[in-house]
Amino acid sequence: MQIAVCIKRVPDSETRVKIAADAKSLDEAGVKFVMNPYDEFAVEEALQRKEKAGSGEVAVICLGPAAAQETIRTALAMGADRGVLLQADKIPADPFEAARLIAGELQAASWDLILFGRMAIDDYNHQVGPLVAELLGMPCVTAVSHLDIDGAKGVAEREIEGGIEVVDFPLPAVLTADKGLNEPRYPALKGIMAAKKKPLEVKPVQPGTGSLEVVALMPPPERKEGKIVGEGAGAVGELVRLLREEAKVL
């Protein structure tokens, strides 16, 4: 199978981030960056599909700065065959511009599957995968938690409120991977060493301005200090009184 996996370099969720001086971006000093966790499920699924088919290629595509080569090398260490960095100093805020650049790269080859993570944990917009599918004229299934492929047809399950939705689709298709689809493997030492020799092509791109603009970034408001009501039977009455006073203020 010919499979493309589109990944993103994002700040580690355990890293403390600060807003940069321009108030429109993050100060990257001291920030640890990793592969977007949802993209790890997409990479793992691609590798399993290739292994099951017994042949094919897994190519990893990433839009980002030069430092994103390290993120691509992580996917190569997991077992992907080659990588492509669409190098841009800044990822556009408009997801359509990101999708346009990625679709332009993908349309140059034929793919059986194009995989994305369900969403990126830095912006949570859920849009790039479906937009790429639309630009390429391919069917799309999002938030896939279980997948079966037989020949040129696939069946995907996606969790919805109160149940499981089952979707039949033809190949080629664009899918976005959700948590639970698989258990991503850790790169072994052999894979890490092999990744250094695998091809990684860097292609400079120029994103458009798009129709969205980040006006300002602001940290969430600080939490109010908690109140200790007391102990014993009198604590309940005191709590009720405080809640009533809070309600009057609101």
Side-chain angles (χ1 to χ4, degrees):
M1 296 187 75
Q2 297 297 114
I3 306 174
V5 187
C6 301
I7 66 173
K8 187 177 183 182
R9 172 183 180 262
V10 299
D12 191 326
S13 59
E14 297 183 359
T15 291
R16 295 183 64 87
V17 297
K18 296 185 296 182
I19 297 174
D22 64 1
K24 295 183 179 182
S25 59
L26 295 180
D27 181 354
E28 296 188 2
V31 175
K32 178 183 177 183
F33 285 86
V34 297
M35 185 194 306
N36 178 48
Y38 285 95
D39 297 345
E40 292 181 0
F41 299 116
V43 172
E44 177 62 30
E45 192 63 27
L47 297 175
Q48 290 187 17
R49 293 292 156 187
K50 176 191 169 184
E51 290 165 0
K52 186 175 181 180
S55 61
E57 179 188 53
V58 174
V60 176
I61 291 91
C62 181
L63 170 64
Q69 292 184 54
E70 181 181 352
T71 309
I72 295 175
R73 292 292 180 193
T74 299
L76 297 179
M78 291 174 68
D81 299 294
R82 63 181 178 91
V84 178
L85 173 62
L86 303 177
Q87 184 171 323
D89 293 335
K90 186 177 180 182
I91 297 178
D94 189 340
F96 179 78
E97 287 301 314
R100 181 181 62 81
L101 293 170
I102 293 170
E105 172 63 25
L106 291 170
Q107 68 183 4
S110 297
W111 306 101
D112 298 301
L113 274 178
I114 298 174
L115 301 177
F116 289 79
R118 173 190 171 192
M119 62 182 179
I121 64 169
D122 59 349
D123 57 25
Y124 281 72
N125 69 33
H126 300 251
Q127 296 182 46
V128 176
L131 283 169
V132 168
E134 182 67 21
L135 290 169
L136 295 177
M138 292 184 179
C140 179
V141 185
T142 60
V144 175
S145 58
H146 182 77
L147 179 64
D148 289 314
I149 293 178
D150 184 9
K153 295 182 179 180
V155 179
E157 293 182 3
R158 52 197 310 274
E159 296 182 7
I160 59 174
E161 186 175 356
I164 301 292
E165 183 178 56
V166 181
V167 182
D168 296 336
F169 62 91
L171 297 183
V174 176
L175 309 178
T176 72
D178 201 357
K179 184 177 181 180
L181 178 59
N182 51 52
E183 186 64 35
R185 68 193 69 183
Y186 288 101
L189 178 59
K190 181 179 179 180
I192 294 172
M193 299 304 293
K196 298 178 180 180
K197 299 179 180 179
K198 291 181 179 179
L200 197 169
E201 187 176 3
V202 177
K203 298 182 178 181
V205 295
Q206 185 61 48
T209 55
S211 58
L212 296 179
E213 178 187 0
V214 176
V215 177
L217 293 178
M218 293 173 287
E222 294 185 5
R223 293 183 179 181
K224 295 181 180 180
E225 292 184 359
K227 297 180 181 179
I228 299 176
V229 175
E231 298 179 0
V236 176
E238 178 67 8
L239 176 60
V240 171
R241 184 186 69 80
L242 290 171
L243 289 174
R244 284 176 177 172
E245 290 180 359
E246 188 76 19
K248 288 179 182 179
V249 173
L250 297 175

